[in-house]
Amino acid sequence: ILAFKPFQMGDVVRYIDNDISGVIEEITLHHTAIRTWENKRVIIPNSKMNSAIIENADYADSKVCVFMQIGITYESNVETAKKLLAEEILQQPDFLDVRTPEQKAAGAPPVQVVLLELADSSVILRASLWAKDNSTAFGLKCKVLENIKKTYEQNGIDIAYPHLVVMQK
């Protein structure tokens, strides 16, 4: 770990084997300490870290994409819902436009919103939220979720929730 340096102090990592996420707080010859999002210190022996799959969100580039999924009812207008979601994301100052100059010239939209799934109780839309780092992305997602609920209510788009129809013969 000290020679290869797959992560360094302050990096946001996820130890996939045990689903531990947080910030690298200490690296010694014998162990690595991660401060979790719950503010707990997890000490992992380097022998485990050397053989584990580690996801490093800060390696070479700190910008991050978070997928935001939202389910709307089958009765709602999908195109309107996609348009409103994209507009809401674009209004956020923390949203990062990651299109290349070529993509911009070709007219690629700054926010990609797709219909991901036709599920049992909802039509699932997915938006790609780009931000400069993990903490900014988390705040961005929370703000978009809060605002899109209001926007959808004002525009007649219903957010889906599971329904159960019981038929008796």
Side-chain angles (χ1 to χ4, degrees):
I1 288 175
L2 292 174
F4 176 58
K5 298 187 180 186
F7 46 80
Q8 57 189 351
M9 302 283 288
D11 280 0
V12 174
V13 298
R14 183 166 71 114
Y15 178 31
I16 293 179
D17 297 356
N18 293 343
D19 197 28
I20 296 170
S21 296
V23 177
I24 297 291
E25 194 173 68
E26 182 182 30
I27 304 169
T28 72
L29 287 173
H30 302 287
H31 70 268
T32 299
I34 298 174
R35 177 68 59 184
T36 68
W37 304 125
E38 295 84 22
N39 201 32
K40 295 177 180 154
R41 183 178 167 106
V42 178
I43 298 171
I44 304 166
N46 285 342
S47 60
K48 298 277 188 194
M49 293 293 278
N50 279 328
S51 62
I53 298 173
I54 306 294
E55 181 181 272
N56 187 341
D58 290 320
Y59 195 79
D61 188 358
S62 65
K63 69 179 174 273
V64 64
C65 180
V66 174
F67 294 128
M68 188 182 91
Q69 293 184 189
I70 189 162
I72 61 171
T73 62
Y74 275 87
E75 295 76 23
S76 295
N77 185 303
V78 172
E79 290 307 313
T80 301
K82 288 170 60 176
K83 178 180 167 278
L84 291 170
L85 182 53
E87 288 172 356
E88 181 57 46
I89 293 167
L90 281 173
Q91 290 177 20
Q92 300 303 316
D94 288 332
F95 173 72
L96 191 62
D97 185 351
V98 295
R99 295 176 297 165
T100 65
E102 294 81 19
Q103 290 170 323
K104 289 178 182 178
V111 178
Q112 187 171 29
V113 179
V114 297
L115 193 157
L116 185 65
E117 182 181 354
L118 298 174
D120 291 340
S121 300
S122 62
V123 174
I124 308 293
L125 304 178
R126 182 174 81 179
S128 302
L129 303 176
W130 282 93
K132 67 179 182 177
D133 56 32
N134 274 306
S135 61
T136 304
F138 178 76
L140 173 63
K141 183 177 180 180
C142 293
K143 190 67 174 167
V144 170
L145 281 170
E146 183 178 330
N147 290 347
I148 201 62
K149 182 176 183 325
K150 295 173 193 170
T151 301
Y152 277 1
E153 286 172 354
Q154 293 167 354
N155 289 277
I157 304 292
D158 294 320
I159 295 175
Y161 56 91
H163 290 79
L164 179 63
V165 177
V166 178
M167 298 180 68
Q168 185 175 4
K169 289 186 177 186

